[in-house]
Amino acid sequence: MNPYLVERRRGENYVGISCEYRLYLNKSQERYFTMMGNKLRGAYNLLVSHYVKDKDWKDIINVYNMHGFEPHAFAVFTAFGAPLLKFMGLKGGIINLVNNRSGTGKSTILQVMNSVWGHPDYLMLQWRDTLNVKLHRMAVMCNLPIGVDEITKMSGDDFSDLAYSVTQGTPRRRMKASANEERESQGFWATMMVSTSNSSMTDKLESLKSTSEGELMRLMQYRIDPTNNLDKATAKHIFGRLNSNHGL
């Protein structure tokens, strides 16, 4: 399945700068897949790349077909599940992978997820990226998943804003500096954000205020525990091959 979609729907009204493209999922069935319009396409093309040998990529991903790697595989396959959110009527949500130890494979999971659509590192966001950057990236990627590595240092307020914003499906609306009118919409999304942290973000939200149910309904968090399946050197060798095998 390739994100470079080729056929534009005709005779329909578009919202803002978004438009519909046709994606053939299999020989007998077609689905409409929402992607961004011309103003976002340049940024999208810079991020999403295609450089893969199918067999090599499959050999890498099959490492997760080992007992103990089920939590890892669940997050990785968000890469394929995220584009389907649109058909469920959902705008988005956050999956956070947590463990206070290093070397459990949390960041590697995000790299493997990113490798489905593009470069494992270039697609990665960091905690220090501003909220506006994160939301703009979601608008650029639209239905493709977003990975944010190491959000432990985010404040409770910032993470609360992120949790609410991800499920809105559109960036913040802004006014033009030169006129008393709104800026043109910068796209929308229906996708998942997968993040990693060394401490529990649910604990951070609950300590922020007594009623955090709204944010917690937008967050799914689970632990990534260490396994004995791979030593550090072997894991580095296997997953390092993603740099030359990515973008299905």
Side-chain angles (χ1 to χ4, degrees):
M1 184 166 60
N2 194 298
Y4 296 98
L5 311 180
V6 295
E7 185 175 348
R8 177 171 176 170
R9 292 175 65 177
R10 298 179 179 177
E12 298 195 11
N13 295 323
Y14 300 113
V15 178
I17 60 173
S18 66
C19 55
E20 296 280 342
Y21 282 78
R22 183 170 293 174
L23 173 66
Y24 291 94
L25 296 180
N26 55 50
K27 293 181 180 180
S28 61
Q29 193 175 30
E30 66 182 29
R31 291 289 184 268
Y32 289 108
F33 192 81
T34 304
M35 299 302 292
M36 70 298 300
N38 291 333
K39 289 189 177 181
L40 297 178
R41 183 171 301 280
Y44 171 79
N45 288 337
L46 287 174
L47 292 168
V48 177
S49 58
H50 178 76
Y51 187 75
V52 65
K53 299 175 182 177
D54 289 343
K55 183 180 183 304
D56 290 344
W57 187 87
K58 290 177 182 177
D59 288 342
I60 298 170
I61 196 69
N62 278 337
V63 170
Y64 286 131
N65 189 27
M66 300 172 65
H67 179 69
F69 276 155
E70 292 84 0
H72 303 60
F74 178 86
V76 165
F77 286 112
T78 303
F80 300 99
L84 304 179
L85 255 65
K86 176 181 183 290
F87 306 111
M88 301 170 64
L90 302 174
K91 299 295 179 60
I94 300 176
I95 298 175
N96 187 50
L97 315 177
V98 61
N99 195 301
N100 61 2
R101 294 178 56 182
S102 61
T104 61
K106 301 189 298 294
S107 298
T108 301
I109 290 170
L110 297 188
Q111 291 175 320
V112 178
M113 181 189 77
N114 288 342
S115 75
V116 174
W117 300 105
H119 195 281
D121 295 324
Y122 297 164
L123 287 176
M124 193 87 73
L125 291 173
Q126 305 292 332
W127 71 270
R128 60 181 176 271
D129 295 320
T130 66
L131 177 61
N132 286 338
V133 167
K134 293 182 178 73
L135 298 185
H136 176 72
R137 176 67 65 85
M138 294 193 77
V140 169
M141 301 301 285
C142 197
N143 300 117
L144 306 187
I146 305 295
V148 187
D149 195 26
E150 195 45 70
I151 62 172
T152 308
K153 292 185 178 180
M154 286 186 70
S155 68
D157 284 328
D158 287 345
F159 187 72
S160 175
D161 287 346
L162 178 64
Y164 275 115
S165 298
V166 165
T167 57
Q168 296 302 309
T170 185
R172 293 175 175 175
R173 303 197 184 280
R174 297 179 178 276
M175 299 294 289
K176 291 183 177 180
S178 58
N180 188 26
E181 58 185 73
E182 289 185 17
R183 292 181 182 177
E184 189 176 23
S185 173
Q186 292 299 305
F188 58 89
W189 61 79
T191 188
M192 293 297 299
M193 176 178 285
V194 183
S195 60
T196 69
S197 67
N198 290 338
S199 59
S200 171
M201 300 310 289
T202 59
D203 290 348
K204 187 169 290 191
L205 289 173
E206 289 172 346
S207 65
L208 180 66
K209 54 185 179 180
S210 58
T211 55
S212 56
E213 288 85 357
E215 294 94 328
L216 294 176
M217 290 294 290
R218 293 160 168 81
L219 169 66
M220 173 183 175
Q221 177 175 273
Y222 66 90
R223 287 176 56 85
I224 296 294
D225 290 320
T227 72
N228 295 320
N229 290 338
L230 299 173
D231 60 56
K232 186 175 181 178
T234 302
K236 183 177 181 179
H237 171 72
I238 293 173
F239 294 110
R241 295 160 57 198
L242 290 173
N243 289 321
S244 56
N245 290 279
H246 56 263
L248 299 187

